[in-house]
Amino acid sequence: AQKVTQAQTEISVVEKEDVTLDCVYETRDTTYYLFWYKQPPSGELVFLIRRNSFDEQNEISGRYSWNFQKSTSSFNFTITASQVVDSAVYFCALSEAFNFGNEKLTFGTGTRLTIIP
Amino acid sequence: SQTIHQWPATLVQPVGSPLSLECTVEGTSNPNLYWYRQAAGRGLQLLFYSVGIGQISSEVPQNLSASRPQDRQFILSSKKLLLSDSGFYLCAWSRGQQRDTQYFGPGTRLTVL
């Protein structure tokens, strides 16, 4: 069975500090996808990134960067120079293919990030 | 561009009452559709998914049901709500391709009293 672990339940940092959110996953699939979603106080899940298991290149998008390490089954997310608007719950998720080519996402329990002004 | 709508945004219902939550997607055809529930302080649990009109698969047996009467409409229902049905319900869509990204709607917050 697939599993996603986000060991950090809550993190608080002062604005402009860098912060890394950890994600560790377990899967028997040889091909899989990893995702990060942001859930602001409004509740909607906002898609941030999708990463193919064959692509281990790190990715940077503005202040956001992702470090994918297959050897340690980790897909960590770093926010550089954090801002108050980054305050949210962040979910890491792992895809699992099932019937009819459909996709099931296994979510971690989320990390609540609070940026203190 | 594609957009996904859910209503109502919030709902307070007594135990034993019926439920109907609606989700619609615009700007795409034949999407895969999903219903998730998020209990307070917890992750997301997949409830139902659909690959086409009238095709519903259930992930978790419970007193909820889902229907897809139209291509871009997904409905979550219950005949009699339980206290444990309280939570945040999210609808999501993806293109009908394997491993595609799921995009989520704004959610419905349901409180059963």
Side-chain angles (χ1 to χ4, degrees):
Chain A
Q2 303 203 146
K3 185 178 179 181
V4 175
T5 301
Q6 295 180 255
Q8 305 152 305
T9 306
E10 295 189 26
I11 300 176
S12 294
V13 300
V14 176
E15 194 174 18
K16 298 184 182 178
E17 289 185 352
D18 299 347
V19 58
T20 296
L21 308 183
D22 298 332
C23 173
V24 175
Y25 62 93
E26 297 176 25
T27 181
R28 292 184 179 178
D29 287 352
T30 55
T31 302
Y32 52 90
Y33 284 81
L34 294 160
F35 301 80
W36 275 96
Y37 287 87
K38 173 183 179 180
Q39 187 176 39
S42 60
E44 180 176 356
L45 257 71
V46 177
F47 165 71
L48 295 178
I49 190 171
R50 171 176 178 250
R51 170 65 70 203
N52 184 318
S53 58
F54 292 109
D55 181 2
E56 292 191 65
Q57 277 192 334
N58 292 332
E59 181 155 341
I60 298 175
S61 176
R63 297 184 296 106
Y64 295 172
S65 62
W66 291 268
N67 183 0
F68 177 33
Q69 294 198 347
K70 214 168 178 178
S71 59
T72 57
S73 297
S74 65
F75 186 43
N76 297 336
F77 172 32
T78 297
I79 301 175
T80 303
S82 60
Q83 300 176 2
V84 173
V85 293
D86 296 326
S87 296
V89 180
Y90 291 86
F91 289 95
C92 180
L94 171 67
S95 71
E96 174 185 15
F98 59 164
N99 293 340
F100 312 114
N102 212 339
E103 176 179 308
K104 173 182 178 179
L105 288 179
T106 298
F107 283 86
T109 51
T111 297
R112 181 176 299 277
L113 175 63
T114 301
I115 308 300
I116 303 166
Chain B
S1 64
Q2 299 84 15
T3 56
I4 179 169
H5 305 279
Q6 287 186 245
W7 62 87
T10 61
L11 190 60
V12 180
Q13 292 284 92
V15 170
S17 63
L19 173 73
S20 180
L21 304 181
E22 189 167 345
C23 169
T24 59
V25 181
E26 295 177 356
T28 187
S29 296
N30 197 30
N32 292 338
L33 296 172
Y34 310 81
W35 277 112
Y36 288 85
R37 176 169 61 198
Q38 183 180 24
R42 303 182 68 177
L44 281 80
Q45 178 187 41
L46 178 64
L47 302 176
F48 301 95
Y49 66 91
S50 171
V51 298
I53 296 174
Q55 299 180 60
I56 309 294
S57 295
S58 173
E59 280 291 293
V60 182
Q62 54 209 322
N63 69 318
L64 298 172
S65 62
S67 62
R68 185 169 176 174
Q70 300 180 41
D71 181 44
R72 291 169 289 175
Q73 184 184 31
F74 205 23
I75 296 173
L76 183 69
S77 303
S78 174
K79 292 182 179 178
K80 288 185 178 182
L81 284 168
L82 307 173
L83 285 174
S84 57
D85 291 325
S86 292
F88 191 53
Y89 288 82
L90 287 154
C91 181
W93 76 275
S94 68
R95 294 177 182 86
Q97 299 167 11
Q98 193 169 12
R99 308 299 184 104
D100 203 2
T101 299
Q102 291 183 24
Y103 298 94
F104 287 79
T108 295
R109 193 165 302 280
L110 172 66
T111 303
V112 182
L113 301 175

